[in-house]
C-alpha cells in the first residue's frame, strides 16, 4: 500500500523493495548516489552520460545533486546509457 504522507512514502517504498528500515534512504538519494557510482565505474563524464541518455548535462547534474526528480522515461534512458537495470539505480547504498 502506498501512503500519501510525504515522510512515510519512502519508508513504504523501502518496504516494498525489500529494504531494511536501517538502510532506508529517500529514493532520490539512492538514485543520485547510484547514478554517480555507475557513471564513474564506466568512466563517463556527466556530459558523456547526458549525450548517451539523450538529456542535457545540466539535467544530469541536477539529478546527481538531488535537485530534480526524474520521470520514469529518464530513469530508463539513464539505465540504458549506463548498461544497468533501472532497479539497480534504486538499490540502497552499500548493497
Amino acid at each position: 500500500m502506498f501512503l500519501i504522507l510525504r515522510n512515510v512514502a519512502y519508508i513504504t517504498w523501502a518496504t516494498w523493495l525489500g529494504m531494511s528500515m536501517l538502510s532506508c534512504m529517500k529514493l532520490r538519494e539512492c538514485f543520485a548516489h547510484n547514478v554517480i557510482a555507475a557513471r564513474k565505474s564506466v568512466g563517463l563524464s556527466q556530459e558523456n552520460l547526458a549525450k548517451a541518455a539523450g538529456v542535457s548535462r545540466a539535467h544530469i547534474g541536477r539529478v546527481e545533486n538531488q535537485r530534480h526528480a526524474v520521470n520514469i522515461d529518464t530513469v530508463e534512458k539513464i539505465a540504458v546509457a549506463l548498461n544497468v537495470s533501472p532497479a539497480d539505480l534504486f538499490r540502497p547504498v552499500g548493497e
Side-chain angles (χ1 to χ4, degrees):
M1 182 171 134
F2 183 80
L3 299 175
I4 301 301
L5 300 173
R6 182 180 171 89
N7 292 337
V8 180
Y10 73 88
I11 294 171
T12 304
W13 273 105
T15 304
W16 179 72
L17 291 171
M19 301 173 200
S20 74
M21 298 313 286
L22 296 175
S23 66
C24 184
M25 300 170 68
K26 289 185 178 180
L27 286 176
R28 191 181 294 195
E29 292 176 73
C30 292
F31 186 79
H33 180 273
N34 291 325
V35 167
I36 294 167
R39 178 176 61 75
K40 288 182 177 181
S41 77
V42 295
L44 288 176
S45 65
Q46 284 184 345
E47 185 173 350
N48 289 335
L49 173 57
K51 286 179 186 175
V55 299
S56 71
R57 195 232 30 97
H59 187 71
I60 294 294
R62 286 190 301 269
V63 168
E64 289 186 357
N65 289 311
Q66 303 172 39
R67 292 191 180 118
H68 184 76
V70 295
N71 66 40
I72 196 73
D73 296 326
T74 305
V75 170
E76 182 177 32
K77 289 176 183 180
I78 292 171
V80 168
L82 293 170
N83 197 30
V84 298
S85 162
D88 291 338
L89 297 176
F90 290 101
R91 299 237 182 267
V93 175
E95 282 192 10

